């Protein structure tokens, strides 16, 4: 794929994947670059998008999410407290499918010279819109749908975290 500033696109027969190459700065910066990709390709009007997904992954090295989320991981043994866990769920959210993965305190090799193992937590939110059937030349409608998916991601993300932790992240609204 072509590298345009801080994002990379990969166009194949059935998909267009756009990823951040570097640290995510803000939605306004990222979304402007997504728009540039559509302008760069000047897509053929015969290409139809049937579905797309927008994914946001946020990593937290050495942070225990159980103290910072409105999510409580429990199972049939109330006296057992998990030190690390991975949770995955899919649910309908408005007109989309939301796929949420929470990983808490998972051991990870940071690839340093001394092979140090650190504990990493992450929140992974994927919003998928299916059966949209839009031509790629319908830029405004597609971009509006992408923007809407971003709003859904923010709503899910902000509702997972407790207020104190959310403030510490200094979110961009």
């Amino acid at each position: 794929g072509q590298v345009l500033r801080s994002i990379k696109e990969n166009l194949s027969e059935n998909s267009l994947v756009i990823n951040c190459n570097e640290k995510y700065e803000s939605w306004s910066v990222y979304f402007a670059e997504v728009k540039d990709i559509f302008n760069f390709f000047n897509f053929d009007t015969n290409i139809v998008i049937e579905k797309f997904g927008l994914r946001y992954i946020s990593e937290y090295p050495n942070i225990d999410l159980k103290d910072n989320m409105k999510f409580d991981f429990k199972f049939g043994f109330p006296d057992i407290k998990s030190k690390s866990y991975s949770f995955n769920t899919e649910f309908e959210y408005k007109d989309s499918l939301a796929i949420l993965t929470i990983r808490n305190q998972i051991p990870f090799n940071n690839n340093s010279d001394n092979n140090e193992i650190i504990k990493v937590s992450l929140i992974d939110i994927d919003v998928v819109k299916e059966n949209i059937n839009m031509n790629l030349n319908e830029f405004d409608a597609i971009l509006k749908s992408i923007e809407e998916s971003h709003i859904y991601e923010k709503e899910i993300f902000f509702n997972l975290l407790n207020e104190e932790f959310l403030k510490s992240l200094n979110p961009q609204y």
Side-chain angles (χ1 to χ4, degrees):
Q2 175 95 11
V3 176
L4 299 173
R5 293 180 278 189
S6 65
I7 64 175
K8 177 182 179 183
E9 98 300 325
N10 187 344
L11 180 63
S12 67
E13 186 176 329
N14 297 319
S15 68
L16 171 63
V17 177
I18 303 169
N19 289 318
C20 261
N21 285 334
E22 301 167 11
K23 186 177 181 204
Y24 178 83
E25 290 182 42
S26 70
W27 176 250
S28 59
V29 170
Y30 183 72
F31 193 53
E33 293 185 26
V34 169
K35 289 178 187 178
D36 287 347
I37 285 176
F38 280 91
N39 291 329
F40 176 79
F41 278 113
N42 192 15
F43 287 107
D44 183 332
T45 59
N46 295 328
I47 299 175
V48 174
I49 296 176
E50 294 180 12
K51 86 177 200 181
F52 75 83
L54 187 65
R55 189 173 187 188
Y56 175 74
I57 302 172
S58 188
E59 292 185 3
Y60 306 97
N62 298 313
I63 291 180
D64 190 341
L65 288 178
K66 78 175 178 347
D67 300 328
N68 296 301
M69 296 182 68
K70 298 174 191 173
F71 177 84
D72 193 11
F73 182 76
K74 292 183 182 177
F75 55 101
F77 298 97
D79 296 335
I80 294 175
K81 304 271 190 241
S82 295
K83 293 180 182 176
S84 65
Y85 57 81
S86 183
F87 173 82
N88 191 24
T89 185
E90 294 183 10
F91 54 93
E92 295 297 319
Y93 190 80
K94 301 185 179 180
D95 62 352
S96 301
L97 171 68
I99 304 166
L100 171 64
T101 302
I102 299 169
R103 291 199 169 98
N104 191 50
Q105 297 288 281
I106 305 299
F108 180 77
N109 183 335
N110 71 356
N111 294 323
S112 65
D113 291 338
N114 60 358
N115 286 328
E116 178 186 10
I117 302 295
I118 60 171
K119 302 251 179 162
V120 176
S121 299
L122 71 80
I123 299 172
D124 179 345
I125 304 168
D126 197 356
V127 172
V128 179
K129 291 188 180 231
E130 299 181 291
N131 303 313
I132 59 174
N133 298 316
M134 291 183 194
N135 278 329
L136 275 177
N137 67 344
E138 298 178 68
F139 298 133
D140 292 339
I142 292 169
L143 294 174
K144 182 177 186 261
S145 196
I146 292 171
E147 183 80 61
E148 187 175 69
S149 293
H150 175 250
I151 291 168
Y152 295 174
E153 285 179 335
K154 281 186 1 182
E155 290 170 353
I156 294 166
F157 182 77
F158 291 160
N159 280 299
L160 285 171
L161 304 176
N162 67 34
E163 209 53 44
E164 186 178 321
F165 185 60
L166 186 57
K167 285 180 187 174
S168 75
L169 300 176
N170 195 21
Q172 304 289 315
Y173 291 94

